[in-house]
Amino acid sequence: MDSMLALHDRFGSAAPALRDVGAPLATAVLSRRTQRRYTGQPVPAALVELLCCAALSASSKSDFQQAGIIWVEDAAQRAAFEAWCAALAAPFPAMPWIGYAPVFLVFAGDTRRLERLGKLRGHPTGNKGLEGFFNATVDAALALQTCILAAENAGLGTCPISVLRNQAPLVADVLGLP
């Protein structure tokens, strides 16, 4: 698909009148869609590792690299997430794709990293403020988006699931996080 067609598909008549400038990444971004149905075909571990490496190579706010990725391979952990999502209150739909997606990655901001780096470098920084939270959130979002683009470039469909944030203590418990 060329970028003009992708622009029109995404924005309709409001699309800017641009000529096709041959920007394959822009075209890929304009063409992307969230996928909630999967073939069930396994994704090679080496490809998942490569996608995680790409994600962790994303730009980082303030250069603190406060993003982490947890590859949820354990069937019991995935079942716990799936059961929790299925039991959500009426405003939230059940999310069965958690259980049958061939790969499930959790992107997390490491709010403690800024504090640890400050202590290591002799510049203690209290982690209770907005700075640590904001840096970690932005870094995790940048890593997630980079992973999505890399996965789609490799021919994989993706579906970010942000509802996990609504139950941070449950997620931390299931994944064994601090």
Side-chain angles (χ1 to χ4, degrees):
M1 175 181 289
D2 71 18
S3 56
M4 288 303 297
L5 183 56
L7 272 169
H8 187 269
D9 282 353
R10 176 67 65 160
F11 297 103
S13 61
L18 301 174
R19 63 181 175 81
D20 186 359
V21 293
L25 180 59
T27 300
V29 171
L30 288 166
S31 303
R32 73 163 308 279
R33 302 290 186 267
T34 296
Q35 303 296 320
R36 292 182 177 91
R37 293 189 185 106
Y38 309 101
T39 64
Q41 182 178 352
V43 178
L47 178 55
V48 177
E49 291 170 7
L50 179 63
L51 296 175
C52 289
C53 288
L56 294 173
S57 297
S59 299
S60 174
K61 186 193 177 310
S62 302
D63 199 25
F64 291 125
Q65 291 83 34
Q66 289 183 260
I69 305 169
I70 301 134
W71 183 357
V72 183
E73 295 181 279
D74 180 78
Q77 288 177 322
R78 290 192 55 171
F81 285 132
E82 184 180 3
W84 172 72
C85 287
L88 288 174
F92 299 102
M95 299 179 187
W97 49 87
I98 290 175
Y100 61 77
V103 175
F104 188 67
L105 302 173
V106 175
F107 287 76
D110 181 355
T111 58
R112 298 174 310 142
R113 183 169 169 82
L114 180 61
E115 188 175 308
R116 290 190 314 266
L117 285 170
K119 186 176 180 180
L120 179 71
R121 295 181 180 155
H123 301 286
T125 304
N127 194 31
K128 304 296 186 252
L130 181 60
E131 185 69 13
F133 172 77
F134 188 69
N135 282 345
T137 302
V138 169
D139 282 0
L142 289 166
L144 170 63
Q145 182 62 24
T146 300
C147 186
I148 287 170
L149 293 174
E152 290 175 351
N153 188 60
L156 301 175
T158 63
C159 178
I161 302 172
S162 62
V163 75
L164 295 179
R165 77 187 178 291
N166 293 344
Q167 290 291 331
L170 172 95
V171 172
D173 185 52
V174 169
L175 295 177
L177 300 175

